[in-house]
């Protein structure tokens, strides 16, 4: 997978970076099997500077088994090639380790099992939520239900594109054996789904802020048509903002320090998905809480509406569940790479699993807060279960109603 994949494919090797000394980049002082430092011997390279690939039973050695003695009877020391012979290359300095070994996938099959359970439970729950919210939107014509419906639809797209298409199909089944053009195209869909989910929540935040802080303006300007128009604009913008991530470099395949383009894309991801919407959530939620407290100071304790409570719950869950992934992404950029540090690799696996949990928890939040939503869910389940109980009816027969009106007993007169 391009940026979320949790399984590691050790058969894929990143290309050497331009300007990196070829013999030093291909032949490391660390054995590729054991990871221990070789016994003071330089890497095996051909006279033309081409690296000799060690076999599975031997580490990187020189052609001669014994070092040649120098003029004073001391063994010669093989000097590692450096640019211009002036010292170590600047590309070897910094936080990126000098070893070329890939970090192992410590989590193993746990992410695959987790995402399978998440998809098998989350997708039916989100489909049920979609039906219930569609009924409420058709009955009440309230814009808030249109925003929640669009949010649930974007969660479904995220589960299909990222969880199923990325983690399970591309990562676990195909082991990332996809053409580069296909993998980069999937990037656009993944980031577009994430951006749509986050920024539709921003629309909901603005709607609740306007309803609570500017009620007269909200009643005059709010309508289902405007809500659908705003949702269409956000979906189009999400697709456009996902196009630059066609060039996103998978953090598990970074062979060296990130380039300027890769660093810019990772910062754009953090800003677009977390820091900018998180700042909007923080400011608007603070204004809503201050307004409620002001109302409570002038009279009895204010009653928090169901929509406002859902908004506060959604934004709090978003901030808590997405924070680990953003932290690990910045840690990968400036401290230690996922490509070569198994601890950062494991942390990113866990952070991705926690972030994807955000696509299934909204159903529980709606049921916990709204009694109307719970009643609609029961109605949807009952309507889906009723045809299974009645079964097919023969032609020409009419099914009797389930609840008969009360009548008089036999023999009784009016």
């Amino acid at each position: 997978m391009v940026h979320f994949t949790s399984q590691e494919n050790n058969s894929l090797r990143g290309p050497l970076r331009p300007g990196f000394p070829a013999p030093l980049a291909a032949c490391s002082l660390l054995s590729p099997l054991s990871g221990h430092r070789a016994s003071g011997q330089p890497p095996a390279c051909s006279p033309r500077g081409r690296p000799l690939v060690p076999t599975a039973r031997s580490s990187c050695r020189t052609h001669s088994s014994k070092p040649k003695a120098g003029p004073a009877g001391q063994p010669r020391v093989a000097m590692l090639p450096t640019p211009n012979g002036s010292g170590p290359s600047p590309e070897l300095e910094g936080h990126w380790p000098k070893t070329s070994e890939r970090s192992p996938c410590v989590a193993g099959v746990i992410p695959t099992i987790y995402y399978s359970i998440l998809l098998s439970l989350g997708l039916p729950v989100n489909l049920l939520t979609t039906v219930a919210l569609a009924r409420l939107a058709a009955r009440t014509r309230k814009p808030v239900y249109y925003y929640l419906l669009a949010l649930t639809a974007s969660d479904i797209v995220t589960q299909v594109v990222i969880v199923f298409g990325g983690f399970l199909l591309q990562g676990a089944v195909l082991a990332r054996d996809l053409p580069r053009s296909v993998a980069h195209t999937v990037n656009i869909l993944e980031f577009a789904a994430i951006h749509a989910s986050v920024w539709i929540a921003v629309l909901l935040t603005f709607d609740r802020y306007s309803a609570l802080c500017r009620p007269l303006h909200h009643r005059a300007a709010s309508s289902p048509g405007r809500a659908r128009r705003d949702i269409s604009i956000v979906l189009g913008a999400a697709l456009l903002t996902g196009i630059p991530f066609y060039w996103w470099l998978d953090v598990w395949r970074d062979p060296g320090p990130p380039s300027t383009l890769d660093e810019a894309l990772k910062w754009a991801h953090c800003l677009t998905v977390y820091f900018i919407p998180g700042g909007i959530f923080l400011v608007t939620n603070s204004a809503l809480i201050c307004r409620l407290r002001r109302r409570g100071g002038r009279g009895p304790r204010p009653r928090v509406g169901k929509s406002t409570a859902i908004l506060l719950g959604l934004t709090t869950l978003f901030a808590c569940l997405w924070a680990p992934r953003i932290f690990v992404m910045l840690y990968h950029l400036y401290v230690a790479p996922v490509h070569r540090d198994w601890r950062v690799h494991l942390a990113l696996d866990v952070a991705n699993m926690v972030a994807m949990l955000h696509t299934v928890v909204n159903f529980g939040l709606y049921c916990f807060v709204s009694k109307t939503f719970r009643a609609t869910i029961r109605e949807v389940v009952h309507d889906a279960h009723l045809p299974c109980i009645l079964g097919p009816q023969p032609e020409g027969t009419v099914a009797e109603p389930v609840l008969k009106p009360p009548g008089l007993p036999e023999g009784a007169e009016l």
Side-chain angles (χ1 to χ4, degrees), residues 81-105:
T82 56
N84 300 327
S86 58
S89 170
E91 296 176 359
L92 296 179
E93 299 177 356
H95 61 275
W96 286 76
K98 299 179 182 179
T99 175
S100 60
E101 294 182 351
R102 286 177 173 269
S103 60
C105 186

Side-chain angles (χ1 to χ4, degrees), residues 198-224:
V198 172
W199 286 92
I200 287 175
V202 173
L203 280 183
L204 177 63
T205 303
F206 288 150
D207 179 79
R208 291 298 88 202
Y209 175 82
S210 176
L212 189 61
C213 299
R214 305 171 63 186
L216 297 179
H217 174 76
H218 180 265
R219 290 175 185 174
S222 179
S223 66

Side-chain angles (χ1 to χ4, degrees), residues 28-71:
S28 173
L29 289 179
L30 294 180
S31 170
L33 297 178
S34 62
H36 299 288
R37 190 174 296 277
S39 58
Q41 297 175 355
C45 300
S46 65
R48 297 183 179 180
R50 296 179 180 176
L52 298 177
V53 181
T55 60
R57 298 184 180 180
S58 63
S59 60
C60 197
R61 296 190 178 91
T62 56
H63 295 289
S64 60
S65 58
K66 296 181 180 180
K68 296 181 180 181

Side-chain angles (χ1 to χ4, degrees), residues 317-341:
L317 288 174
F318 165 79
C320 295
L321 295 179
W322 272 90
R325 171 174 168 79
I326 302 301
F327 174 79
V328 175
M329 188 65 62
L330 297 179
Y331 192 89
H332 161 79
L333 280 178
Y334 298 108
V335 181
V338 174
H339 178 77
R340 295 172 184 175
D341 193 332

Side-chain angles (χ1 to χ4, degrees), residues 4 9 136 230 242 253 270 282 285 298 313 353:
F4 270 98
N9 186 3
L136 290 174
D230 293 342
R253 297 180 183 179
C270 295
L282 179 62
N285 289 349
R298 295 196 299 263
M353 290 190 288

Side-chain angles (χ1 to χ4, degrees), residues 111-136:
T112 303
I113 298 174
Y114 171 82
Y115 291 123
S116 300
I117 297 175
L118 187 72
L119 186 65
S120 60
L121 294 180
L123 194 58
V125 163
N126 280 334
L127 291 176
L128 180 61
T129 305
T130 302
V131 176
L133 291 175
R135 289 194 178 188
L136 290 174

